[in-house]
Amino acid sequence: HVATMGFTSKRARVSVVYQRMDQGVPNTIHVMSKGQDTVMLPLIKLDVDEDELLGNLKNMSTNGLRTLLCGYSDLDAEWWATRKDAYEKVIHMDASPASEGHPEKCKKEACEKCAQHYLFEQLEKDAKLQYLGAIGLEGKIN
């Protein structure tokens, strides 16, 4: 496990970056992402019929399921090496008064949460995620 770009209500997705340590593919970085379908669609290159996928997502949501899309990317280790420092910097930013009332009242240019959101989104776009699948989850009411 190399990095986690965590879930927030603004992001509506989570992405994990990891590197396999076995002998098979030691120089490969894997990016896995899952999230709300409307948020993930612009980030994923579809290799399936988009109209059919949208129809399936609509059918699942009409039947009361939460719909998620999953994507992945296999990248050369150099991809992460050129982005690691920016990731480390943004995740170690201290909470500041600039993020108070986030997102309604935050001062965007100084808010660490906005900086994280921007960088995480850029990393996900740069990864050129491929479509992995769609999920329909039942959220039971207690």
Side-chain angles (χ1 to χ4, degrees):
H1 174 258
V2 176
T4 300
M5 295 171 264
F7 179 91
T8 66
S9 57
K10 182 177 179 180
R11 285 177 38 77
R13 64 188 176 277
V14 63
S15 295
V16 177
V17 180
Y18 65 98
Q19 183 172 15
R20 289 180 56 177
M21 302 307 286
D22 62 10
Q23 297 295 331
V25 284
N27 291 324
T28 303
I29 291 290
H30 305 281
V31 180
M32 302 292 292
S33 190
K34 72 171 180 165
Q36 182 182 340
D37 56 5
T38 56
V39 172
M40 291 293 292
L41 271 171
L43 297 173
I44 295 179
K45 180 181 178 218
L46 294 176
D47 59 359
V48 296
D49 181 282
E50 185 171 356
D51 291 332
E52 183 179 353
L53 173 62
L54 293 174
N56 288 336
L57 292 170
K58 183 178 180 181
N59 184 40
M60 285 189 281
S61 65
T62 300
N63 287 301
L65 300 177
R66 266 186 339 159
T67 54
L68 302 175
L69 287 182
C70 301
Y72 75 98
S73 207
D74 293 325
L75 304 158
D76 188 271
E78 185 62 25
W79 180 88
W80 182 247
T82 61
R83 292 160 174 84
K84 180 182 177 183
D85 289 344
Y87 172 82
E88 291 293 330
K89 179 180 176 184
V90 80
I91 65 163
H92 288 103
M93 292 174 80
D94 291 329
S96 68
S99 67
E100 208 167 288
H102 184 78
E104 294 82 18
K105 298 177 185 175
C106 75
K107 296 176 182 151
K108 303 272 188 226
E109 64 281 351
C111 175
E112 73 281 351
K113 292 175 185 170
C114 289
Q116 287 177 1
H117 181 268
Y118 175 78
L119 179 67
F120 293 173
E121 183 169 37
Q122 193 58 53
L123 292 172
E124 290 160 337
K125 286 178 181 177
D126 290 350
K128 295 183 170 88
L129 298 166
Q130 301 292 311
Y131 174 76
L132 183 60
I135 303 169
L137 299 172
E138 182 179 2
K140 293 190 178 194
I141 299 173
N142 293 331

